[in-house]
Amino acid sequence: MTQQTNDTLDMNVLPFWQWQYSQPESEGSNIGIPSDSIYPVHEMPDTIYRQSMFTDHLLQVDHATLQPRENRSAPTWVFFILLLIVGLQCLYFRIRKLRMLNLLKAAGDIRALDRLKRDSNLNFNYLWLPMGMLMVSPIVLLSQSMLLPDTGLLVNLAITAAAVLFYILRNRLFRFLGNIFDNKQGVSLYIASNYVYHQLEGIFVVVMLFLFFYLPGAKMVMLYIILVFLIFAFLIRFVRGMKVFLTHPNGSNFYLFYYLCIVEIAPVLVVIKWFLISKPIS
């Protein structure tokens, strides 16, 4: 018979994972190895309060709540307006059977302008009008995004309608001056030359507007490129128009030439003054 000694492990007692928890029996039960004998006790430090550095300071908190993140992306309606302008440009080119090369030639040669007028059947004044409208719309979109960025589609439509009306009245004034000074053909040729340049300007601006709105970090660069191009195109168009008018028979009337210059330059001066007032230089 084997006799057990005190230093022999008794296999009949409870295994080690059922040893009693080291608390009074009324507060616990057999849960296994006591955790207080394995892990050291970590005493949590008391909460430390420090005085805010902004207390009694000039830099007080203006917005204590969360502020919404600024959304710098272009609204959805801008994309649809750009697609609409591009679609109307393509439709007008197809209906009038225009070619970009013919437009470029007509911008520099009066005979090419006559051929463009004949080949594209642009014998009536209202057939030229879409060229001006498709130039006005992208410029209005650009101006609205810079001067009135918080406005929406309705404001864009209202400003575009007003700009188109002003454009029509401007051409009416040109023709009215031509009737007064008995030089209808010279003024008509001058307006046709302006339409060709406006068509080219509209194509360039609407292409650059895609980069202006949707190329990250290049907004101001595209703006400067568009402004430089418009200024350069205005100078070329003005000089070319005056040359076309003055080289036309009976186009040497000084007073008519003087009034045409006023009508051309006055709106530009008004736009520049409005821009300076809306965006003062600091």
Side-chain angles (χ1 to χ4, degrees):
M1 179 177 181
T2 305
Q3 184 178 359
Q4 294 183 355
T5 59
N6 294 332
D7 57 352
T8 303
L9 182 60
D10 188 3
M11 302 300 295
N12 296 322
V13 297
L14 292 175
F16 67 92
W17 60 82
Q18 294 183 7
W19 290 347
Q20 188 176 1
Y21 185 66
S22 59
Q23 285 186 357
E25 295 182 358
S26 60
E27 297 182 5
S29 60
N30 296 333
I31 60 174
I33 302 174
S35 60
D36 58 352
S37 63
I38 299 177
Y39 303 104
V41 178
H42 295 278
E43 296 182 359
M44 298 299 296
D46 295 336
T47 304
I48 300 176
Y49 297 94
R50 294 184 175 88
Q51 186 177 4
S52 174
M53 60 182 297
F54 295 101
T55 304
D56 299 329
H57 197 276
L58 295 178
L59 299 177
Q60 297 299 321
V61 178
D62 294 330
H63 304 285
T65 59
L66 295 177
Q67 298 298 314
R69 179 177 296 179
E70 182 180 1
N71 185 12
R72 296 182 178 272
S73 60
T76 306
W77 61 267
V78 172
F79 182 71
F80 287 103
I81 290 293
L82 291 176
L83 290 183
L84 179 61
I85 296 174
V86 173
L88 292 177
Q89 290 275 13
C90 297
L91 180 62
Y92 184 74
F93 266 69
R94 185 174 181 82
I95 293 176
R96 294 292 102 198
K97 298 180 181 179
L98 294 175
R99 297 293 183 270
M100 182 62 66
L101 182 60
N102 295 336
L103 283 175
L104 295 176
K105 291 180 179 180
D109 186 7
I110 188 172
R111 294 183 179 180
L113 179 61
D114 293 334
R115 289 195 300 269
L116 177 69
K117 183 177 180 180
R118 181 185 66 252
D119 297 339
S120 299
N121 195 21
L122 296 172
N123 299 318
F124 299 98
N125 298 329
Y126 67 89
L127 297 177
W128 293 89
L129 185 59
M131 292 187 179
M133 297 175 61
L134 294 175
M135 184 272 299
V136 169
S137 182
I139 292 181
V140 168
L141 188 61
L142 175 65
S143 303
Q144 180 186 4
S145 64
M146 296 303 300
L147 302 178
L148 302 172
D150 298 329
T151 55
L153 177 60
L154 296 180
V155 176
N156 177 266
L157 296 178
I159 297 176
T160 302
V164 170
L165 179 61
F166 173 79
Y167 187 87
I168 296 174
L169 294 177
R170 169 180 169 275
N171 288 340
R172 291 290 183 180
L173 181 58
F174 282 149
R175 299 188 185 278
F176 178 72
L177 293 174
N179 294 335
I180 291 178
F181 291 94
D182 195 19
N183 194 357
K184 296 181 181 180
Q185 293 182 354
V187 173
S188 179
L189 190 60
Y190 173 77
I191 294 176
S193 176
N194 288 345
Y195 273 127
V196 171
Y197 279 92
H198 290 162
Q199 178 70 33
L200 296 175
E201 293 172 13
I203 294 174
F204 178 83
V205 172
V206 74
V207 171
M208 299 303 294
L209 282 182
F210 281 97
L211 302 178
F212 175 81
F213 285 109
Y214 302 108
L215 183 61
K219 185 174 184 179
M220 297 307 299
V221 176
M222 295 299 109
L223 175 63
Y224 292 144
I225 292 175
I226 294 174
L227 291 180
V228 170
F229 174 81
L230 291 179
I231 294 173
F232 185 70
F234 171 78
L235 296 177
I236 295 179
R237 177 179 63 82
F238 183 74
V239 173
R240 174 63 184 171
M242 291 298 104
K243 182 179 179 180
V244 169
F245 170 76
L246 294 177
T247 55
H248 189 271
N250 299 327
S252 60
N253 192 310
F254 174 76
Y255 291 103
L256 180 56
F257 172 77
Y258 177 74
Y259 288 130
L260 290 178
C261 293
I262 292 177
V263 176
E264 283 284 3
I265 297 176
V268 178
L269 298 178
V270 172
V271 171
I272 293 176
K273 182 179 180 181
W274 178 49
F275 181 80
L276 293 178
I277 293 175
S278 302
K279 298 289 184 179
I281 300 176
S282 57

